[in-house]
Amino acid sequence: MPDLDQTVRDIAEEMRARPDRGEVATYIPELANVDPGAFGIAVVDAEGHVAAAGDCDMAFSIQSISKVFTLTLALGKIGDRLWRRVGREPSGSAFNSIVQLEAEHGIPRNPFINAGAIAVTDAILSGHQPREALGEILRFLQFIAEDPNISIDEKVAASEQRTGFRNRALANYMMAFDVLENPVDYTLGVYFHHCAIAMTCRQLAMAGRFLMHGGRNPSTGFSVVSPERARRINAVMLTCGHYDGSGEFAYRVGLPGKSGVGGGILAVAPRKASIAVWSPGLDASGNSHLGRIALEMLTQRMGWSIFG
Ligand SMILES: NC(=O)CC[C@H](N)C(=O)O
């Protein structure tokens, strides 16, 4: 098998040189200020070794990648009852689409499109103050990444608060079907802030370790979730983690993965690695353009596709 450190360094070098970088998201104004030339990658293997290169220690806005962690927390809180409020089928439509909600009685297709993630955030909130729910999410990330230096980028959160009209529409629409239980402003406040959590590739790859190890944090031995739950979260990441680009991602990369409009992707090679990549330019589905290409190279060179 090729050397992981060398492979990761090679990929970072190739990505840095590429002229095709995609388009940085501008609908959240603060995200538009990010350098499209950035590229970072970090891989934690089954032995806990970290291979990292490029801008792997630069913090970026994790955006929808946070939805993997909120899903994990919500399942921990209310278990399979969560699936009464949100489905687990791919949507085949954009991350912020509203069209399916009317026909499907306000139940979002899956926990990774915006509507679904807002419903998941509402389940975490369950009567608590927004500050408490947000603290819980942040502490969970710090715990699984074993790093207290993970925080919310308040500028990004404020920028999305100001411009999040579509998300407000989605939340109000679900409220009309009684799918949400807390005041819309509370739920959206927590949602905007957890999307605005800033992390480096290294921190994110560390945070994803429990998903490659049957739900266990390999260095501490602590069980974060059961093996069955880890498998299921991976399954939803594979089928829904890249919105209407999920089929393409499975076809090209062959791993469960979750993208965010900040340009990050967290991918899981079960029993082999937890991987984070970051390149801010996006493709037409709102997924990192070079992030996906880098992951495709990595899985090909390391032979890590779950499809053999
Ligand atoms: N795909 C994403 O990362 C979207 C998350 C972003 N906070 C939004 O709600 O639009």
Side-chain angles (χ1 to χ4, degrees):
M1 199 195 290
D3 178 65
L4 178 62
D5 289 285
Q6 190 57 47
T7 307
V8 162
R9 276 197 300 271
D10 289 349
I11 291 174
E13 216 163 286
E14 284 169 57
M15 291 301 112
R16 217 178 238 306
R18 276 180 82 125
D20 57 320
R21 308 204 74 84
E23 297 290 327
V24 173
T26 52
Y27 77 99
I28 301 173
E30 195 61 27
L31 293 183
N33 300 331
V34 179
D35 173 15
F39 177 85
I41 178 167
V43 183
V44 187
D45 71 13
E47 281 73 49
H49 171 70
V50 183
D55 300 311
C56 55
D57 291 312
M58 203 178 273
F60 61 91
S61 192
I62 66 168
Q63 292 295 321
S64 286
I65 304 171
S66 61
K67 298 170 182 176
V68 173
F69 307 109
T70 50
L71 172 64
T72 306
L73 277 176
L75 285 170
K77 258 187 193 306
I78 63 169
D80 284 342
R81 276 184 293 142
L82 183 72
W83 302 119
R84 293 187 203 152
R85 300 207 214 172
V86 59
R88 42 176 194 265
E89 291 296 342
S91 68
S93 47
F95 65 90
N96 55 6
S97 174
I98 199 166
V99 289
Q100 281 159 351
L101 275 184
E102 181 166 27
E104 298 176 8
H105 313 290
I107 306 283
R109 274 284 173 98
N110 67 65
F112 293 153
I113 50 173
N114 287 9
I118 292 167
V120 168
T121 301
D122 186 75
I124 294 177
L125 201 45
S126 68
H128 293 99
Q129 289 299 312
R131 188 177 292 277
E132 292 169 329
L134 209 48
E136 188 181 351
I137 297 167
L138 203 54
R139 277 193 303 277
F140 178 59
L141 268 171
Q142 292 167 341
F143 170 69
I144 57 177
E146 288 178 86
D147 194 333
N149 297 314
I150 297 173
S151 58
I152 293 166
D153 184 331
E154 290 293 343
K155 273 195 187 154
V156 173
S159 184
E160 194 170 354
Q161 287 268 25
R162 268 198 309 280
T163 55
F165 299 109
R166 282 187 87 103
N167 286 323
R168 247 170 238 128
L170 292 167
N172 282 303
Y173 205 69
M174 287 188 285
M175 198 71 170
F177 285 97
D178 294 326
V179 171
L180 303 188
E181 289 173 354
N182 300 276
V184 163
D185 282 352
Y186 280 24
T187 300
L188 283 176
V190 177
Y191 172 81
F192 292 144
H193 281 81
H194 74 62
C195 287
I197 291 171
M199 289 172 79
T200 67
C201 285
R202 198 184 291 272
Q203 290 169 330
L204 200 52
M206 293 290 276
R209 288 171 303 172
F210 73 97
L211 291 171
M212 68 147 151
H213 278 285
R216 232 171 8 91
N217 179 334
S219 72
T220 59
F222 280 131
S223 196
V224 180
V225 295
S226 68
E228 180 182 65
R229 185 155 288 163
R231 254 193 321 272
R232 289 175 162 178
I233 293 169
N234 282 333
V236 184
M237 285 171 75
L238 182 78
T239 53
C240 310
H242 284 72
Y243 318 111
D244 45 342
S246 298
E248 182 72 4
F249 188 83
Y251 179 84
R252 292 194 175 276
V253 177
L255 296 180
K258 181 75 208 83
S259 68
V261 285
I265 302 177
L266 171 67
V268 180
R271 314 265 160 232
K272 301 202 171 72
S274 167
I275 310 155
V277 290
W278 172 54
S279 174
L282 308 178
D283 63 20
S285 305
N287 302 313
S288 176
H289 172 68
L290 288 184
R292 200 266 295 146
I293 292 172
L295 284 170
E296 185 175 354
M297 287 179 173
L298 183 70
T299 47
Q300 259 169 22
R301 294 180 194 179
M302 300 305 294
W304 280 349
S305 167
I306 61 168
F307 300 110

